[in-house]
Amino acid sequence: MDKFTLSTASMLFAAVAMTACDKRDAPQPKVEPGSVAEKVERKVEEVRADSRRELTEAKEKAREVAAEVRQAGAEAGDKVTDAVISTAVNAEFAKDSSLSATKIDVDTVSGRVALRGTAPSAAARDRATELAAHVKGVRSVDNQLTVERAKM
């Protein structure tokens, strides 16, 4: 709709809206087909229909945006939670004498922890799984650690 049509429609809509309060009490005059009044009424009805459609579209778009915002917030929260889990698992490894000096990469996605790197022994490898599994928020542990070969 161009600016002139929109301005005209808005003025007509406002005029009709202002007189709508009196419509209930006053008898409705007959509108002659093809008259200016009939054209105005038709235009007002078009504007009302357009307004209802646009309002419905705006509400739907607002629902979509709200859903996207909720999803983005949940994903951001998941990333923070995953970072906290990875940090807690690393802290548990640092407390354990068999794992503290070992380089273990801890990656967490949606509470699922993946351990990569090396462990000094099979017992230390198993201990890493046990420690990670007991950290709050961990759903599962995928231990991909390899046992170091004994150095001679």
Side-chain angles (χ1 to χ4, degrees):
M1 227 185 256
D2 65 3
K3 287 183 180 180
F4 177 75
T5 305
L6 186 59
S7 296
T8 304
S10 296
M11 289 189 311
L12 289 172
F13 184 73
V16 170
M18 289 170 54
T19 60
C21 296
D22 296 333
K23 269 189 168 183
R24 291 184 199 122
D25 300 332
Q28 297 295 320
K30 267 198 166 178
V31 178
E32 295 295 322
S35 69
V36 173
E38 189 265 338
K39 290 177 183 176
V40 168
E41 282 187 16
R42 192 171 348 129
K43 195 62 161 172
V44 167
E45 286 306 315
E46 287 176 18
V47 169
R48 283 183 182 153
D50 288 346
S51 296
R52 283 190 293 267
R53 187 187 78 256
E54 289 173 5
L55 180 61
T56 301
E57 289 173 4
K59 286 179 181 178
E60 182 57 34
K61 191 66 172 171
R63 283 187 205 103
E64 290 173 12
V65 168
E68 289 172 6
V69 168
R70 280 192 298 274
Q71 180 65 28
E75 289 173 5
D78 287 348
K79 290 187 187 310
V80 169
T81 301
D82 288 342
V84 169
I85 290 171
S86 292
T87 301
V89 170
N90 280 318
E92 290 299 316
F93 291 167
K95 292 184 219 174
D96 189 280
S97 60
S98 66
L99 297 170
S100 63
T102 307
K103 175 64 176 141
I104 299 175
D105 291 323
V106 179
D107 295 313
T108 308
V109 177
S110 299
R112 292 170 182 81
V113 176
L115 306 176
R116 294 180 188 86
T118 57
S121 66
R125 180 183 187 280
D126 294 341
R127 179 83 176 131
T129 300
E130 183 182 324
L131 289 172
H134 285 93
V135 169
K136 183 179 178 182
V138 172
R139 293 181 180 178
S140 65
V141 178
D142 178 18
N143 189 335
Q144 300 174 17
L145 295 175
T146 57
V147 177
E148 293 178 340
R149 293 182 185 217
K151 295 180 183 171
M152 300 202 174

